[in-house]
Amino acid sequence: MKILRSLLFIPGNRPDMLAKAVKFNADAIVPDMEDSVPESEKSNARKHISNAMKDLIRLGTPVIPRINSLNSGLAEQDIKTALNHRVFGISVGKISCPDDIKRLSQIISMVEVDNGYEIGSTKLIIWIETAESLINVRDISKSSPRLLALAFGAEDYTNDMAIKRQPDDSEIGFARQSVAIAARSSNLLSLDTPYFEFNNNAGLKHDVGVARSIGFTGKFAIHPSQIEAINNGFIPSV
């Protein structure tokens, strides 16, 4: 199975940051079209990501764009933008049930055919970040051979639950563990929620240690300074 310890988000509407991504030692680059991009910038994000894609892919590092959700009305165009280039996979948030994966896979298959790619060759990283997706996580994890990983999104999960984030992360403990367990049961990678205090290296190391201890295999980074701690924390056991 592919090792993905660190996955670095790059806001898609920031061409300066996309250009710098080639210098970073993340295991995967995630040009983002979703949460880090304001609604007014969605079109610009597609354009900037498309312009940067050749240089990103040339690195040999997996490029896994995060697209907008199926219910946003933007997903199909985002997929077309991503698959205009031979990306390793696509990351998708706010998945609720296996039927969402079926719809998503159908769209991707059509775009793969249009681009001359083998059907099924585009991998999927699916975000579990709502109460409904958590209830359905085991079925989601077994819903498609495209699935590479399950990712847990703490911010959207707590928003959906109408609860506040706590300093000790106690409010996400059950959800976090459930995602890691479901991924393991289906032989998928499990990717932990980002740590947003990017200037707090000690806090990041602790958070990585907790994630590793409950079975996660990697973690998303929101800043290049987080990559080293994440990579070191998720070095595979011999």
Side-chain angles (χ1 to χ4, degrees):
M1 184 180 289
K2 186 75 177 176
I3 295 174
L4 295 177
R5 300 164 299 171
S6 58
L7 300 92
L8 178 64
F9 277 123
I10 308 289
N13 63 325
R14 292 289 304 275
D16 56 329
M17 295 180 70
L18 288 165
K20 292 177 182 178
V22 298
K23 302 176 182 179
F24 304 134
N25 192 35
D27 286 348
I29 300 296
V30 185
D32 191 22
M33 306 182 205
E34 196 203 18
D35 284 350
S36 68
V37 179
E39 288 296 324
S40 61
E41 288 285 299
K42 298 294 187 181
S43 179
N44 282 336
R46 290 194 202 101
K47 179 182 70 175
H48 294 314
I49 288 172
S50 184
N51 290 341
M53 199 70 82
K54 286 184 180 179
D55 288 336
L56 293 176
I57 291 174
R58 196 176 294 127
L59 289 173
T61 300
V63 178
I64 308 172
R66 183 169 70 169
I67 67 169
N68 290 281
S69 69
L70 280 170
N71 295 329
S72 69
L74 302 172
E76 186 167 352
Q77 186 58 51
D78 289 348
I79 290 169
K80 289 178 180 178
T81 296
L83 294 190
N84 278 339
H85 305 271
R86 198 67 193 95
V87 296
F88 179 80
I90 292 173
S91 174
V92 191
K94 300 174 180 66
I95 292 295
S96 296
C97 61
D99 282 348
D100 287 346
I101 305 295
K102 182 178 180 180
R103 284 175 56 204
L104 183 63
S105 188
Q106 287 172 341
I107 297 169
I108 293 172
S109 292
M110 289 189 293
V111 180
E112 284 173 334
V113 169
D114 289 343
N115 285 280
Y117 306 148
E118 180 182 353
I119 292 178
S121 58
T122 306
K123 301 299 182 184
L124 282 174
I125 293 176
I126 298 301
W127 287 78
I128 304 300
E129 49 190 354
T130 66
E132 185 176 3
S133 64
L134 191 64
I135 292 296
N136 294 323
V137 66
R138 185 174 184 277
D139 291 336
I140 290 171
S141 74
K142 298 182 182 298
S143 62
S144 172
R146 290 184 183 274
L147 287 178
L148 173 69
L150 299 182
F152 175 56
E155 307 308 315
D156 281 320
Y157 169 74
T158 51
N159 286 339
D160 185 61
M161 291 291 293
I163 56 178
K164 293 182 179 180
R165 294 301 309 271
Q166 301 298 320
D168 63 355
D169 286 340
S170 56
E171 80 290 357
I172 62 171
F174 173 78
R176 206 177 186 187
Q177 292 184 16
S178 296
V179 173
I181 292 167
R184 179 65 175 175
S185 76
S186 296
N187 197 33
L188 303 176
L189 300 175
S190 52
L191 305 174
D192 191 35
T193 192
Y195 184 77
F196 283 93
E197 296 181 36
F198 62 84
N199 288 321
N200 183 355
N201 196 51
L204 173 63
K205 288 181 179 179
H206 173 76
D207 196 53
V208 168
V210 171
R212 177 73 183 264
S213 75
I214 62 177
F216 280 95
T217 57
K219 190 174 182 70
F220 285 88
I222 61 166
H223 192 275
S225 65
Q226 296 181 322
I227 294 171
E228 183 178 3
I230 293 174
N231 282 347
N232 290 340
F234 287 104
I235 293 174
S237 301
V238 177

